[in-house]
Amino acid sequence: MSKPVPADAPPSVVVAPAPESAAVDGGVSVDEPAAATGGGVRSMVERWKMEGAPARARLVLRALGWLFSLLALVVMASNQHGHGGSQDFRQYPEYNYCLGIAIVAWLYTTAQVVRDVHRLGSGRDLIGTRKTSALVDFAGDQVVAYFLISAMSAAAPVTDYMRQKADNLFTDSAAAAISMAFFTFVAIALSALVSGYSFSMEVLV
């Protein structure tokens, strides 16, 4: 049997249980951000990966081009054997031209690798707008690839002719330098394809 409540007793205060997800700062519940923002973050990461795939591929190809061009210029520049002048690369204009183009390719790939690393890391390009950047990438890759194939076309016949008469360390070094220049050409030519794709997407969008 319950006791009677006095007439002058204060009214009882009923405290309602707190909701499972309390509102924070004007209306966003505690458990909503995980569901609301999780999908947004995931979609942004996936979109970044899709948009960054050509840039990452171009960076890898240019890094390979940098390595091969460095090997080409080092091997050709050190191709001085024997006491006679005939085994010195400086006596052959074709080899001097090949060395010069290898240096140009190395400088170009160095600059482009620095640009690509900065672009992937900060999201900003060192060259103006995206269309201008895509045009510079495409045109630069095309020009350097053309010079590389031109240098190989000049040096390869001379090397082949000398190897038919005497197969020695000088001709082997020349052939190795030309091979490294060819690998540089392949890497930059593939980079040109990626740059062409990126440029076409910028023009169409």
Side-chain angles (χ1 to χ4, degrees):
M1 184 175 180
S2 60
K3 296 181 180 180
V5 180
D8 56 350
S12 60
V13 178
V14 179
V15 179
E20 294 182 358
S21 58
V24 179
D25 294 336
V28 180
S29 61
V30 174
D31 59 345
E32 284 179 359
T37 62
V41 173
R42 191 180 304 109
S43 64
M44 285 190 297
V45 171
E46 291 176 355
R47 185 167 58 252
W48 180 86
K49 288 181 178 179
M50 292 179 62
E51 294 177 352
R56 289 194 299 271
R58 187 170 54 239
L59 174 58
V60 172
L61 290 170
R62 284 173 173 170
L64 291 175
W66 177 87
L67 175 62
F68 290 135
S69 62
L70 178 62
L71 292 175
L73 71 90
V74 168
V75 173
M76 184 62 78
S78 60
N79 194 15
Q80 304 175 38
H81 306 283
H83 300 286
S86 61
Q87 293 191 3
D88 189 342
F89 81 95
R90 292 172 294 183
Q91 303 299 321
Y92 303 90
E94 298 85 358
Y95 291 159
N96 288 319
Y97 178 54
C98 187
L99 175 62
I101 297 303
I103 294 174
V104 170
W106 180 76
L107 292 175
Y108 172 76
T109 52
T110 300
Q112 290 288 42
V113 166
V114 171
R115 273 189 62 215
D116 288 339
V117 170
H118 180 271
R119 180 165 45 195
L120 287 176
S122 65
R124 298 185 302 273
D125 201 332
L126 297 175
I127 299 179
T129 63
R130 294 183 61 178
K131 287 186 179 180
T132 304
S133 174
L135 178 60
V136 170
D137 288 334
F138 181 60
D141 289 346
Q142 291 277 346
V143 170
V144 174
Y146 169 79
F147 279 126
L148 283 168
I149 199 68
S150 174
M152 289 185 294
S153 299
V158 176
T159 305
D160 183 64
Y161 176 77
M162 288 192 297
R163 285 172 69 92
Q164 291 178 0
K165 292 188 174 182
D167 191 2
N168 50 37
L169 183 58
F170 175 74
T171 56
D172 289 342
S173 298
I178 295 171
S179 299
M180 294 300 103
F182 173 75
F183 291 138
T184 306
F185 164 77
V186 171
I188 295 181
L190 292 176
S191 175
L193 293 177
V194 178
S195 298
Y197 168 78
S198 300
F199 179 63
S200 63
M201 294 301 294
E202 290 296 332
V203 171
L204 293 176
V205 168

